[in-house]
Protein backbone atom coordinates (compact mmCIF):
# COMPACT_ATOMS: atom_id res chain seq x y z
CA UNK A 1 0.00 0.00 0.00
CA UNK A 2 1.46 3.30 -1.06
CA UNK A 3 2.26 5.73 1.73
CA UNK A 4 2.76 9.38 2.45
CA UNK A 5 5.51 9.90 5.02
CA UNK A 6 5.20 13.02 7.13
CA UNK A 7 7.69 14.50 9.59
CA UNK A 8 8.13 15.58 12.27
CA UNK A 9 5.44 13.92 14.36
CA UNK A 10 5.34 16.94 16.66
CA UNK A 11 6.80 20.41 16.57
CA UNK A 12 7.11 23.19 19.13
CA UNK A 13 7.79 26.70 17.86
CA UNK A 14 7.95 30.08 19.52
CA UNK A 15 5.54 32.79 18.45
CA UNK A 16 6.92 34.56 15.41
CA UNK A 17 9.06 31.62 14.37
CA UNK A 18 8.91 29.49 11.23
CA UNK A 19 7.23 26.08 11.30
CA UNK A 20 8.32 23.56 8.69
CA UNK A 21 6.61 20.23 8.04
CA UNK A 22 7.79 17.79 5.40
CA UNK A 23 6.13 15.08 3.37
CA UNK A 24 7.35 12.44 0.94
CA UNK A 25 5.12 10.46 -1.38
CA UNK A 26 5.44 7.49 -3.65
CA UNK A 27 4.55 7.36 -7.30
CA UNK A 28 1.37 9.05 -8.31
CA UNK A 29 -0.05 9.74 -11.70
CA UNK A 30 -2.06 12.67 -10.36
CA UNK A 31 -0.68 16.00 -9.37
CA UNK A 32 -2.53 17.54 -6.47
CA UNK A 33 -0.97 17.94 -3.04
CA UNK A 34 -3.04 19.52 -0.29
CA UNK A 35 -2.36 20.36 3.32
CA UNK A 36 -5.11 20.13 5.90
CA UNK A 37 -5.34 21.72 9.34
CA UNK A 38 -7.30 20.08 12.12
CA UNK A 39 -8.31 21.53 15.46
CA UNK A 40 -9.53 19.33 18.33
CA UNK A 41 -13.15 18.29 17.87
CA UNK A 42 -13.23 19.36 14.24
CA UNK A 43 -12.69 17.69 10.92
CA UNK A 44 -9.63 18.56 8.82
CA UNK A 45 -9.95 21.79 6.85
CA UNK A 46 -8.17 22.44 3.57
CA UNK A 47 -5.39 24.92 4.23
CA UNK A 48 -3.52 25.18 0.95
CA UNK A 49 -2.88 22.94 -2.05
CA UNK A 50 -0.46 22.86 -4.97
CA UNK A 51 -0.52 21.46 -8.46
CA UNK A 52 3.14 21.02 -9.32
CA UNK A 53 3.24 22.92 -12.52
CA UNK A 54 4.74 25.38 -10.04
CA UNK A 55 7.37 24.68 -7.40
CA UNK A 56 5.95 26.98 -4.77
CA UNK A 57 2.62 28.41 -3.75
CA UNK A 58 2.07 31.07 -1.13
CA UNK A 59 -1.12 32.10 0.62
CA UNK A 60 -0.60 34.61 3.37
CA UNK A 61 1.75 33.14 5.95
CA UNK A 62 1.49 29.63 4.48
CA UNK A 63 3.75 28.37 1.69
CA UNK A 64 4.00 24.99 -0.02
CA UNK A 65 7.32 24.10 -1.60
CA UNK A 66 7.31 21.21 -4.05
CA UNK A 67 10.20 19.09 -5.34
CA UNK A 68 8.82 16.75 -7.97
CA UNK A 69 12.08 14.93 -8.69
CA UNK A 70 12.53 14.10 -5.00
CA UNK A 71 8.81 13.35 -4.54
CA UNK A 72 8.72 15.71 -1.57
CA UNK A 73 6.71 18.72 -0.55
CA UNK A 74 6.70 20.86 2.55
CA UNK A 75 4.58 23.37 4.41
CA UNK A 76 6.16 26.51 5.79
CA UNK A 77 4.27 28.66 8.28
CA UNK A 78 5.88 32.05 8.63
CA UNK A 79 5.43 34.24 11.73
CA UNK A 80 3.77 31.31 13.55
CA UNK A 81 1.01 32.30 15.96
CA UNK A 82 -0.53 30.48 18.95
CA UNK A 83 -3.75 30.20 16.91
CA UNK A 84 -1.83 28.04 14.43
CA UNK A 85 -1.51 25.34 17.09
CA UNK A 86 -3.24 22.36 15.48
CA UNK A 87 -2.52 19.07 13.74
CA UNK A 88 -1.41 19.37 10.13
CA UNK A 89 -1.81 16.66 7.53
CA UNK A 90 -0.28 16.42 4.11
CA UNK A 91 -1.97 14.29 1.49
CA UNK A 92 -1.41 12.95 -1.99
CA UNK A 93 -3.59 11.07 -4.45
CA UNK A 94 -1.96 7.69 -4.63
CA UNK A 95 -2.97 4.65 -6.59
CA UNK A 96 -6.20 6.25 -7.66
CA UNK A 97 -7.48 9.73 -8.20
CA UNK A 98 -10.52 8.89 -6.16
CA UNK A 99 -8.81 8.82 -2.80
CA UNK A 100 -6.32 10.89 -0.87
CA UNK A 101 -3.67 9.15 1.17
CA UNK A 102 -2.83 11.19 4.24
CA UNK A 103 0.34 11.50 6.25
CA UNK A 104 0.17 10.58 9.93
CA UNK A 105 -0.01 14.23 10.96
CA UNK A 106 2.15 16.76 12.77
CA UNK A 107 1.03 18.27 16.06
CA UNK A 108 2.18 21.88 16.01
CA UNK A 109 2.36 23.86 19.23
CA UNK A 110 3.16 27.55 19.03
CA UNK A 111 4.17 28.98 22.38
CA UNK A 112 3.26 32.60 23.15
CA UNK B 1 -23.55 28.10 2.87
CA UNK B 2 -24.02 25.05 5.07
CA UNK B 3 -21.05 22.77 5.49
CA UNK B 4 -20.88 19.01 5.59
CA UNK B 5 -23.23 17.67 8.25
CA UNK B 6 -22.57 14.40 10.00
CA UNK B 7 -24.96 12.77 12.41
CA UNK B 8 -24.83 11.72 15.11
CA UNK B 9 -21.80 13.47 16.60
CA UNK B 10 -21.25 10.85 19.25
CA UNK B 11 -22.25 7.23 19.48
CA UNK B 12 -21.61 4.46 22.00
CA UNK B 13 -22.27 0.91 20.87
CA UNK B 14 -21.65 -2.56 22.21
CA UNK B 15 -19.50 -5.17 20.52
CA UNK B 16 -21.48 -7.18 18.00
CA UNK B 17 -24.00 -4.44 17.30
CA UNK B 18 -24.25 -2.58 14.05
CA UNK B 19 -24.26 1.16 13.43
CA UNK B 20 -25.28 3.54 10.66
CA UNK B 21 -23.68 6.95 10.25
CA UNK B 22 -25.09 9.71 8.10
CA UNK B 23 -23.49 12.44 6.01
CA UNK B 24 -25.13 15.34 4.20
CA UNK B 25 -22.72 16.96 1.74
CA UNK B 26 -22.53 20.59 0.79
CA UNK B 27 -25.36 21.52 -1.55
CA UNK B 28 -24.29 20.82 -5.12
CA UNK B 29 -21.50 18.46 -4.16
CA UNK B 30 -21.95 15.06 -5.74
CA UNK B 31 -19.02 13.16 -4.30
CA UNK B 32 -18.80 11.83 -0.76
CA UNK B 33 -15.76 10.11 0.72
CA UNK B 34 -15.49 8.43 4.10
CA UNK B 35 -12.39 8.22 6.28
CA UNK B 36 -11.64 6.59 9.60
CA UNK B 37 -9.37 8.51 11.94
CA UNK B 38 -7.57 6.90 14.87
CA UNK B 39 -4.54 8.04 16.89
CA UNK B 40 -2.49 5.06 15.74
CA UNK B 41 -3.38 4.78 12.07
CA UNK B 42 -4.29 8.37 11.27
CA UNK B 43 -6.73 9.02 8.43
CA UNK B 44 -7.59 5.91 6.47
CA UNK B 45 -9.73 5.89 3.36
CA UNK B 46 -12.91 3.82 3.52
CA UNK B 47 -14.75 4.51 0.27
CA UNK B 48 -15.90 7.18 -2.14
CA UNK B 49 -19.28 7.60 -3.81
CA UNK B 50 -20.19 9.68 -6.80
CA UNK B 51 -23.66 9.79 -8.31
CA UNK B 52 -24.74 6.85 -6.15
CA UNK B 53 -21.87 4.67 -7.41
CA UNK B 54 -18.97 3.48 -5.30
CA UNK B 55 -15.86 4.62 -7.16
CA UNK B 56 -13.19 3.28 -4.86
CA UNK B 57 -12.86 1.26 -1.68
CA UNK B 58 -10.12 1.15 0.91
CA UNK B 59 -8.63 -1.84 2.70
CA UNK B 60 -11.36 -2.42 5.23
CA UNK B 61 -13.28 -5.65 5.88
CA UNK B 62 -16.68 -6.23 4.34
CA UNK B 63 -18.30 -5.26 7.65
CA UNK B 64 -17.86 -1.69 6.46
CA UNK B 65 -20.28 -0.65 3.76
CA UNK B 66 -21.84 2.47 2.44
CA UNK B 67 -24.27 3.92 0.00
CA UNK B 68 -25.25 7.21 -1.55
CA UNK B 69 -28.73 8.43 -2.29
CA UNK B 70 -30.00 10.41 -5.27
CA UNK B 71 -29.77 13.65 -3.24
CA UNK B 72 -26.04 12.89 -2.63
CA UNK B 73 -26.55 12.17 1.05
CA UNK B 74 -24.53 9.18 2.15
CA UNK B 75 -24.62 6.60 4.88
CA UNK B 76 -22.02 4.18 6.08
CA UNK B 77 -22.78 1.05 8.02
CA UNK B 78 -20.57 -1.07 10.23
CA UNK B 79 -21.89 -4.46 11.20
CA UNK B 80 -20.72 -6.76 13.99
CA UNK B 81 -18.83 -4.00 15.75
CA UNK B 82 -15.43 -4.71 17.25
CA UNK B 83 -13.55 -2.74 19.89
CA UNK B 84 -11.03 -1.70 17.22
CA UNK B 85 -13.76 0.09 15.29
CA UNK B 86 -13.72 2.85 17.89
CA UNK B 87 -12.68 5.91 15.92
CA UNK B 88 -13.68 9.25 14.50
CA UNK B 89 -15.48 8.68 11.21
CA UNK B 90 -15.17 11.58 8.82
CA UNK B 91 -17.14 12.34 5.74
CA UNK B 92 -15.80 14.64 3.04
CA UNK B 93 -17.70 16.07 0.13
CA UNK B 94 -16.42 17.52 -3.13
CA UNK B 95 -17.93 19.01 -6.22
CA UNK B 96 -16.84 16.17 -8.47
CA UNK B 97 -15.21 12.82 -8.32
CA UNK B 98 -11.48 12.93 -8.02
CA UNK B 99 -9.25 14.36 -5.39
CA UNK B 100 -8.27 17.43 -7.37
CA UNK B 101 -11.62 19.00 -6.62
CA UNK B 102 -10.66 19.38 -2.98
CA UNK B 103 -12.42 17.91 0.02
CA UNK B 104 -14.56 19.63 2.62
CA UNK B 105 -14.75 17.53 5.76
CA UNK B 106 -17.51 17.36 8.33
CA UNK B 107 -16.78 17.37 12.06
CA UNK B 108 -17.14 13.62 12.20
CA UNK B 109 -18.95 11.02 14.24
CA UNK B 110 -17.09 9.78 17.29
CA UNK B 111 -17.90 6.08 17.63
CA UNK B 112 -17.00 4.26 20.82
CA UNK B 113 -17.42 0.49 20.96
CA UNK B 114 -17.55 -1.03 24.44
Amino acid sequence: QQQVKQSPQSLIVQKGGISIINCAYENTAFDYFPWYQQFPGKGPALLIAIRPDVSEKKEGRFTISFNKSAKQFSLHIMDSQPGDSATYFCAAPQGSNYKLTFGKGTLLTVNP
Amino acid sequence: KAGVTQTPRYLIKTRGQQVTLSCSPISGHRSVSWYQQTPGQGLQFLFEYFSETQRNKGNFPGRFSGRQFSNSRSEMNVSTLELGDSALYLCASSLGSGTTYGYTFGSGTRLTVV
Side-chain angles (χ1 to χ4, degrees):
Chain A
Q1 187 174 357
Q2 293 178 310
Q3 298 180 35
V4 175
K5 296 182 179 179
Q6 183 175 344
S7 62
Q9 197 171 5
S10 62
L11 182 60
I12 300 174
V13 174
Q14 292 299 120
K15 179 182 175 181
I18 302 174
S19 305
I20 302 174
I21 306 170
N22 300 299
C23 273
Y25 65 95
E26 298 176 6
N27 291 325
T28 178
F30 305 99
D31 290 337
Y32 174 76
F33 300 89
W35 285 90
Y36 284 81
Q37 178 189 55
Q38 186 177 28
F39 293 103
K42 300 289 186 182
L46 179 64
L47 186 63
I48 185 173
I50 193 169
R51 287 181 170 79
D53 49 347
V54 296
S55 61
E56 185 175 284
K57 181 175 180 180
K58 184 176 181 179
E59 289 184 0
R61 296 184 294 108
F62 301 92
T63 300
I64 297 179
S65 297
F66 189 84
N67 185 331
K68 189 168 186 174
S69 61
K71 296 189 176 66
Q72 295 176 345
F73 58 110
S74 61
L75 175 69
H76 292 63
I77 306 174
M78 312 299 289
D79 187 25
S80 298
Q81 299 296 312
D84 297 331
S85 297
T87 301
Y88 292 81
F89 295 92
C90 62
Q94 303 224 256
S96 162
N97 195 26
Y98 302 121
K99 67 170 185 176
L100 279 177
T101 299
F102 285 82
K104 290 291 179 71
T106 296
L107 177 61
L108 172 64
T109 303
V110 182
N111 289 326
Chain B
K1 184 177 181 181
V4 178
T5 303
Q6 291 190 246
T7 56
R9 287 296 310 275
Y10 303 92
L11 209 47
I12 300 175
K13 289 287 187 178
T14 304
R15 267 184 305 173
Q17 288 186 311
Q18 75 164 21
V19 67
T20 299
L21 312 181
S22 179
C23 172
S24 293
I26 290 173
S27 178
H29 283 197
R30 296 170 62 194
S31 172
V32 172
S33 299
W34 288 89
Y35 283 80
Q36 181 195 64
Q37 186 176 27
T38 59
Q41 297 299 317
L43 285 152
Q44 303 235 290
F45 174 77
L46 282 156
F47 25 67
E48 190 242 2
Y49 287 89
F50 179 77
S51 293
E52 303 178 64
T53 301
Q54 187 180 89
R55 303 301 295 270
N56 202 0
K57 191 176 192 303
N59 297 324
F60 279 81
R63 300 185 296 107
F64 292 81
S65 63
R67 58 178 174 169
Q68 186 180 34
F69 302 95
S70 58
N71 62 357
S72 294
R73 191 178 70 85
S74 178
E75 290 181 345
M76 69 162 281
N77 185 78
V78 188
S79 62
T80 319
L81 284 165
E82 301 177 359
L83 295 178
D85 296 333
S86 295
L88 180 67
Y89 289 89
L90 291 160
C91 161
S93 78
S94 60
L95 198 58
S97 184
T99 58
T100 55
Y101 282 92
Y103 288 172
T104 301
F105 280 91
S107 293
T109 294
R110 172 74 62 186
L111 172 65
T112 302
V113 182
V114 296

